[in-house]
Amino acid sequence: MSRPSPLSAMLPRLLRWASLDDEDRGAILDLPYKELRLAPTQYLVREGDRAQYSCLLTSGFALGSKIVGDGGRQIVGIHVAGDLVDLQNAFLDRADHNVQALTAIEVIAIPREAILALAERRPLVARAMWHNTLVDAWIHREWAANIGRRDAKARLAHLLCELAVRVEAIGAGSRYGYELPMTQEHLADCLGLTSVHVNRTLKALAQTGVLRRQARSVRVADWNQLTEIGDFNGAYLHLEPDSGIQVGLEPQRLSA
Amino acid sequence: MSRPSPLSAMLPRLLRWASLDDEDRGAILDLPYKELRLAPTQYLVREGDRAQYSCLLTSGFALGSKIVGDGGRQIVGIHVAGDLVDLQNAFLDRADHNVQALTAIEVIAIPREAILALAERRPLVARAMWHNTLVDAWIHREWAANIGRRDAKARLAHLLCELAVRVEAIGAGSRYGYELPMTQEHLADCLGLTSVHVNRTLKALAQTGVLRRQARSVRVADWNQLTEIGDFNGAYLHLEPDSGIQVGLEPQRLSA
DNA sequence: CGCCGGTTTGAGTCCATTCAAGAGGAGTGG
DNA sequence: CCACTCCTCTTGAATGGACTCAAACCGGCG
């Protein structure tokens, strides 16, 4: 008996978005691919590359970033095991951002033509991948709101909440305590802050008692208070059942 | 002879992303829909709604926004005529952000089930819509970088460049001069600034001579300098042919 | 005419940055 | 095993960009 294809790691993610039949699954497992291993700091794709592959991250952490004119870096997304990375490379001529290994990572790279062909033959798989993209866009909007309209303490708390939930969802820890392989400079580049200020803000959070930090691990002493400080509602991650809670003001019907 | 279906306004946008045959086009034109007109400030969807429609904006300007805990507003996107708005509503249970009319707008609302059915029957249409979503995500990443890592002057210049190119692309003006129906407070909420500071920054830009502003119109005296100040590369809008310019550092091949 | 939303301007404050220096830790090599 | 280096974290002091508060101005409109 052969060991299961590494592509099977793609199934849970896609099944989150659509129910796929045996033919759909078979088509996924038949995709051509190559496995890659990258050491920390190595680039999977660089902004401007004519990237030919879309990737599935099977282990480790990666991050997406953009460099602005004066050399500043903005991290635009964090990827954990199971995430589909660079689906946009299937369509867009050039990579719009860097993807870099944060820890040692393992990646399945799938040629863009294979992704496109799969999407054309298997509508439900296409739907699942599209859905995944829509969730990514949602996450981006959350980040924009976080960076643009919250102060440093709330921004940081919000990010730590997001990471907690995502790490917990892949079984790599719990929201009350998890390993975070990011430096304070990484956090700063996610949040539009400087590492110095992240350091001070982290200290301030620790002093209020909501979290304790040693080395690269985060211990959340008071989850509710952390979500409070960070103005965090995890619905956008789509990792928990719909709470049914209305987050807006009075709902208004769509009317002609 | 009947007047052309308002749905035909959807074709140019989708044809930008995929070449569709007659059957594809027919399926689009057969979509059920209703036409809506909204006055300025009216909401098309509110965050938290169970939205049942995806929309095509056929005239006017709209904007997407999120409200954070302390009442602050972050604008997460600006929509112009021809844009597909709220495609995510076809999949996601609840709207993740508000969509609000900036000017008087006309909208074609299509039931989510119809979008899903179309995507399932017509793979190339699905592909075009997916592609559109990927471009949206790219735009979001640009915004994150803009808000997180540029100073006020560059942020504002970048936004004015983006709007110039988009307005030009729909034939509603030229990048050297266009009508902008946004208040300074709107601009501020796009950029993570306050309206007071936008006012001062606008004045500073005017004083360097790159632009002149009267009332709601923007005149760009020196386009190149404005793109310079705003660190703007319009590739992400996908409105102009690929310049072939490498924006990253030395490209690096994907290798095992 | 008087209101109203938006713009403009000023003065003072504060959050976050910059610059700088030192401490802690992990890995490397002699 | 220790010296050395490189990163990261930590802290202090000074600076500055953007904010807050507030008032005045302006044009459009009922």
Side-chain angles (χ1 to χ4, degrees), chain B residues 113 205 247:
Chain B
E113 300 77 21
L205 283 175
V247 296

Side-chain angles (χ1 to χ4, degrees), chain A residues 17 34-38 42-50 52-53 55 66-70 72-76 87-88 90-98 109 115-116 119-121 123-124 126-131 133-138 140-150 185 188-194 231 236 238 242-256, chain B residues 17 34-38 42-50 53 55 66-70 72-76 87-98 109 115-116 119-121 123-124 126-131 133-138 140-150 185 188-194 231 236 238 242-256:
Chain A
W17 312 130
K34 56 182 181 183
E35 292 181 87
L36 304 175
R37 283 161 202 278
L38 272 70
Q42 280 196 299
Y43 283 86
L44 183 58
V45 206
R46 278 177 189 273
E47 186 172 350
D49 274 6
R50 287 193 181 279
Q52 300 299 317
Y53 297 86
C55 296
K66 294 180 70 73
I67 305 296
V68 302
D70 68 354
R73 173 176 71 169
Q74 176 64 43
I75 292 176
V76 294
L87 276 181
Q88 68 274 10
F91 289 98
L92 307 178
D93 283 338
R94 293 175 180 285
D96 70 304
H97 64 288
N98 308 299
I115 297 279
L116 293 175
E120 194 152 338
R121 286 205 330 278
L124 281 179
R127 173 175 164 165
M129 291 192 291
W130 181 17
H131 193 147
T133 303
L134 287 162
V135 172
D136 283 348
W138 184 337
H140 284 133
R141 287 188 287 271
E142 288 287 341
W143 278 47
N146 199 36
I147 298 169
R149 280 287 170 249
R150 295 197 182 101
E185 188 160 6
D189 287 346
C190 289
L191 299 170
L193 299 169
T194 58
D231 185 26
Y236 69 94
H238 291 261
D242 184 352
S243 68
I245 294 170
Q246 289 280 344
V247 297
L249 310 173
E250 352 70 88
Q252 174 184 300
R253 288 304 121 234
L254 187 72
S255 54
Chain B
W17 312 129
K34 55 182 182 182
E35 292 181 86
L36 305 176
R37 283 162 204 279
L38 272 69
Q42 280 196 299
Y43 284 85
L44 182 60
V45 208
R46 278 178 189 274
E47 185 172 351
D49 275 5
R50 289 195 180 277
Y53 298 86
C55 297
K66 293 181 70 74
I67 304 297
V68 302
D70 67 354
R73 173 176 70 168
Q74 176 64 43
I75 293 177
V76 294
L87 276 180
Q88 68 274 10
N89 288 348
F91 290 97
L92 308 178
D93 282 338
R94 292 175 180 283
D96 70 303
H97 64 289
N98 309 299
I115 296 279
L116 293 175
E120 193 152 340
R121 287 205 328 279
L124 281 178
R127 172 175 163 162
M129 292 191 291
W130 181 17
H131 193 146
T133 302
L134 287 162
V135 172
D136 282 349
W138 184 337
H140 285 132
R141 287 188 286 272
E142 288 287 342
W143 278 46
N146 198 37
I147 298 167
R149 280 286 171 247
R150 295 196 183 100
E185 187 160 7
D189 286 346
C190 289
L191 299 170
L193 299 169
T194 58
D231 186 24
Y236 68 96
H238 291 261
D242 183 352
S243 68
I245 294 170
Q246 290 279 345
V247 296
L249 311 173
E250 353 69 88
Q252 174 183 300
R253 289 302 122 236
L254 186 72
S255 54

Side-chain angles (χ1 to χ4, degrees), chain A:
Chain A
M1 51 185 281
S2 62
R3 81 187 176 99
S5 161
L7 284 167
S8 59
M10 202 159 159
L11 291 176
R13 170 55 51 94
L14 293 179
L15 287 170
R16 192 187 285 169
W17 312 130
S19 38
L20 305 176
D21 64 25
D22 287 344
E23 277 195 74
D24 291 322
R25 296 171 196 230
I28 291 168
L29 296 176
D30 283 344
L31 283 168
Y33 68 92
K34 56 182 181 183
E35 292 181 87
L36 304 175
R37 283 161 202 278
L38 272 70
T41 79
Q42 280 196 299
Y43 283 86
L44 183 58
V45 206
R46 278 177 189 273
E47 186 172 350
D49 274 6
R50 287 193 181 279
Q52 300 299 317
Y53 297 86
S54 292
C55 296
L56 169 71
L57 184 61
T58 52
S59 94
F61 288 79
L63 45 86
S65 66
K66 294 180 70 73
I67 305 296
V68 302
D70 68 354
R73 173 176 71 169
Q74 176 64 43
I75 292 176
V76 294
I78 297 168
H79 302 290
V80 303
D83 281 359
L84 292 164
V85 181
D86 283 330
L87 276 181
Q88 68 274 10
N89 288 347
F91 289 98
L92 307 178
D93 283 338
R94 293 175 180 285
D96 70 304
H97 64 288
N98 308 299
V99 179
Q100 189 178 17
L102 181 57
T103 61
I105 60 174
E106 293 177 0
V107 165
I108 308 288
I110 301 159
R112 60 186 294 176
E113 299 77 21
I115 297 279
L116 293 175
L118 173 66
E120 194 152 338
R121 286 205 330 278
R122 300 272 100 210
L124 281 179
V125 178
R127 173 175 164 165
M129 291 192 291
W130 181 17
H131 193 147
N132 194 78
T133 303
L134 287 162
V135 172
D136 283 348
W138 184 337
I139 294 176
H140 284 133
R141 287 188 287 271
E142 288 287 341
W143 278 47
N146 199 36
I147 298 169
R149 280 287 170 249
R150 295 197 182 101
D151 67 15
K153 200 189 266 191
R155 272 187 235 184
L156 182 54
H158 193 274
L159 179 60
L160 292 176
C161 286
E162 174 179 326
L163 290 167
V165 171
R166 293 177 66 187
V167 164
E168 185 178 86
I170 59 168
S174 115
R175 67 185 60 186
Y176 304 106
Y178 59 97
E179 298 303 309
L180 184 62
M182 301 172 74
T183 65
Q184 294 181 0
E185 188 160 6
H186 287 131
L187 293 171
D189 287 346
C190 289
L191 299 170
L193 299 169
T194 58
S195 59
V196 171
H197 201 240
V198 165
N199 181 285
R200 297 194 227 268
T201 307
L202 221 32
K203 193 173 140 191
L205 282 175
Q207 271 168 354
T208 68
V210 288
L211 58 83
R212 278 166 292 153
R213 241 181 71 88
Q214 53 256 32
R216 293 291 162 78
S217 79
V218 181
R219 323 225 90 245
V220 178
D222 187 338
W223 173 256
N224 288 333
Q225 206 189 335
L226 189 62
T227 60
E228 185 86 18
I229 294 171
D231 185 26
F232 178 79
N233 177 331
Y236 69 94
L237 298 171
H238 291 261
L239 295 174
E240 300 175 296
D242 184 352
S243 68
I245 294 170
Q246 289 280 344
V247 297
L249 310 173
E250 352 70 88
Q252 174 184 300
R253 288 304 121 234
L254 187 72
S255 54

